[in-house]
Amino acid sequence: MIHNRFPLSRLGRSVAVGSLLATGLLVSTGAQALTVISFGGASGDAMQQAYYGPFQQSTGINLTPGDYNGELSRIRAMVETGNVSWDLVEMESPELVRGCFEGLFEPIDWGRLGLENELIDSAFDECGVGTFVWSTVLAYDADALDSPPTSWADFWDVEQFPGTRGLRRGAKYTLEFALMADGVPADEVYGVLESPEGVDRAFAKLDEIKEHIQWWEAGAQPPQWLVSGDVVMTSSYNGRIAAAQEEGSNLEIVWNESIYDLDYWAIVAGSEYVDEAYDFITFASQPENQAAYSSQIPYGPVHPDAIAQLDEEQARRMPTHEENMKDALAVDTAFWVDYGEELEQRFNAWAAR
Amino acid sequence: MTTTIAASQPLPRPAGSLKAQLRRAERLRKWKAFGLVAPLALFLIVVFVVPIGSMLWRSIDNTELESVMPLTTAGLQQWDGVGLPDESTMAAFAAELRDSRQGGGLGRIGRRLNYEGTHYRSLLMRTLRGLPASLDADVDWTTTLVEIDESWGETTTWLGIQRAAPPTTDRYLLASVDLERGDTGQIQRIGEGDRLYQAVFQRTLVIAGGVTLICLALGFPLAYLLATLPARTSNLLMILVLLPFWTSLLVRTAAWIILLQSNGLVNQSLMATGVIDSPLQLVFNRIGVFFAMVHILLPFMVLPLYSVMKGISPSYQRAAVSLGAHPFAAFWQVYVPQTISGIAAGTILVFIMALGYYITPALVGGPGDQMVSYYVAYYTNSTNNWGMAAALGSILLVVTLMLYLVYHRLVNRKQLIRN
């Protein structure tokens, strides 16, 4: 479901074509090359511009790009058969946590990267190095509301802001937003959710606005509903809102109490190009390269200095802009990997009542 | 005398005897028939029997722990559940945990044990990190494990692992109907706030049944019209029936969202004509699901009905009327019974297809309109809990088969009575 935050064009790219191309190139040139696999689409194009091309030019290391749809099973198959043809892979956080647990990735030697204290905290993971940040935010149509909402408490306030609201159909994000609306500080949200009373509290809060919620399934729906006037405010992926803004809609984002997540670079266990992979990660984490990536797509750089290199308007749209980061919450992926199933079941039972 | 000897002694008949020749020819024919059927049989086994069999097996499969930790499993199954397992089991556990990272075993047991309690995955990870570098024979593993994490000194931790040890389990099947095993092994209903799947199965049958009835109500007159109109008009209408058939399911579903949404075409025209004042909620609820699913499945009702109706001679009905029957009686008692086989084929086709619908309710339904396949997809794609996915699928399969048998009986009996 998380995949939905990417523009549709990514889906259009056939995984088969991508990997065939990758292996085809590998065989035909006969040269040894670092294989880097991303999710493709608009993000992949931005990576090509910002990372792949410049990296090959500046280091002389051959790089073979490819794309996939985030399936851990393909990486598992490679590691188990010892036939590792992918070296560096872009991972979403739940798969990174699962894969790391299963030993599918090389543990990151942070000393070797020389990036300590340089990146934002959540970019550091046992098995991965954060590469960009995306957010789930509160968005609204500035033309439709007299006064702008500023928090999830406002989202819950149907007296002052009458109208239908949109939320993602699922427990993830929804429960966090409910607790924040109920006055739980962002950094205590997961502590509260770990206890059964905290879960009850979140669902009790959701009961208050249940009849006003229209649940979305695909990432394209929230901006479309805002534009069509179906909802007055909604949770949404920030990239989708940015795309709608570029098309001329007067949509606004409330960064306060947003929840952000990262995509990571992970080195496949047993890769023959670990050294080159480390070089690539270091290269892709430099502020100027991060800025080059983020100037093409509204995913926030993990290096704080990169923000300064973007123009002001673009910088304000980044989840990692200082102002936007201030009261934001990092999603606790390990929590969702452990508790996800039972909370989703509870959510579905609740929502159907 | 020679004849009696020959009769009483069943001598081996010469190879050329008639019976042997017949038998050989018969065998040859059998092999030929078998050879002709073989590709189809093989196809059915590969794409039908094996996957369904493996799905049924997965719904009770509990071999994750046994395959990764055979010695621990054996030790735990002999443990009486009092105090802590013996030292040899502890040692086996430590050794097997260390080796489990090879081949993805750790991922499998971590996932499996987390169903017994959400803390196991992180506990295994912590323990793995804390294990001493070499497996010394004289290490006291009970003490070492408890030193790494206190939970290893608690009986409940080991009881959870013991529950995951047997090669088969009914937990997925029970969970699929909102049941679980209590502390003493008795079957009980799960907490009220978590009950979900009984309602989901009921909902799936209600939606599929409702869609089937609406399709029949709409499809029957349409098929009748198609069968009775002159060929030119009916061909044109037939193209209109088939047109949606050739359009992608996703496109048709998305089209309904655009038509039915609050500011969509339907609501706007209703408001413009003054029928309603504020927009009706027509999509992201049950109404939207019925609209989209009936639209998509209607051709599957119309086509079998049409093919049967085409073969019914109009003279039967005329004869009934000329003999004094009321036109409606003639229709109901003479015409409709002849279409039973078409109705049976159409309804069963639509009903069974509707049972498995996933993408349409996911897009045009609300959270209370999701059918079984939505949850199957969730467990397969999002959480990799294939046991749950298989259990839900198996129960849906069994329910469908039972309904089909009952239905088959009913339709056959009806036909028998008519005949």
Side-chain angles (χ1 to χ4, degrees), chain A residues 16 18 48 58 75 97 105 117-118 126 155 181 316 335 338 343:
Chain A
Q48 176 70 44
S58 72
I75 299 170
V97 169
F105 305 121
N117 309 322
E118 296 222 2
E126 195 190 343
F155 188 88
R316 293 289 312 178
F335 172 87
D338 280 349
L343 290 180

Side-chain angles (χ1 to χ4, degrees), chain A residues 1 72-73 76 79-80 94-95 97-105 107 126-127 164 168-170 194 203 210 213-218 221 224-231 334-353, chain B residues 100-111 114-115 118-122 124-125 128-129 175 178 190 192-197 203 257-258 261-264 281 283-284 358 361-363 365-370 374-375 378-379 381-385 388:
Chain A
M1 271 170 262
L72 203 55
S73 51
R76 191 180 293 130
V79 174
E80 283 179 10
E95 280 69 38
V97 169
R98 291 201 181 99
C100 188
F101 181 75
E102 292 182 29
L104 299 182
F105 305 121
E126 195 190 343
C127 291
T164 309
R168 195 184 76 93
R169 185 164 72 220
E194 265 179 23
F203 278 107
K210 189 175 182 183
I213 300 177
Q214 185 163 310
W215 302 95
W216 54 267
E217 174 84 4
Q221 285 173 316
Q224 194 233 322
W225 289 356
L226 281 175
V227 171
S228 72
D230 276 27
V231 298
F335 172 87
W336 281 109
V337 168
D338 280 349
Y339 291 88
E341 255 180 48
E342 55 184 79
L343 290 180
E344 292 294 343
Q345 169 157 0
R346 171 97 185 254
F347 172 83
N348 279 307
W350 170 83
R353 265 201 296 278
Chain B
S100 67
R101 266 208 141 145
Q102 261 95 52
L106 184 62
R108 284 204 300 278
I109 59 172
R111 197 161 58 226
N114 244 35
Y115 302 150
T118 35
H119 56 283
Y120 277 105
R121 199 194 299 259
S122 42
L124 291 182
M125 200 68 180
L128 198 59
R129 284 202 202 102
D178 297 339
I190 59 168
E192 204 172 333
D194 292 323
R195 284 179 205 160
L196 174 62
Y197 297 111
R203 182 192 303 163
I257 297 178
I258 294 166
Q261 65 191 2
S262 299
N263 290 315
Q281 185 67 36
V283 74
F284 310 121
Y358 161 58
L363 286 177
D369 308 311
Q370 301 310 315
Y374 177 84
Y375 297 95
Y378 168 72
Y379 282 115
N381 299 332
S382 297
T383 67
N384 280 339
N385 187 348
M388 259 324 268

Side-chain angles (χ1 to χ4, degrees), chain A residues 279-293:
Chain A
D279 290 345
F280 179 87
I281 295 175
T282 309
F283 182 86
S285 304
Q286 296 310 309
E288 59 275 15
N289 302 325
Q290 288 253 300
Y293 172 80

Side-chain angles (χ1 to χ4, degrees), chain B residues 141-163:
Chain B
W141 284 106
T142 314
T143 338
T144 317
L145 283 175
V146 176
E147 267 169 25
I148 296 170
D149 198 293
E150 293 174 349
S151 350
W152 294 122
E154 288 162 19
T155 312
T156 47
T157 310
W158 292 101
L159 279 175
I161 302 183
Q162 194 185 34
R163 280 199 298 275

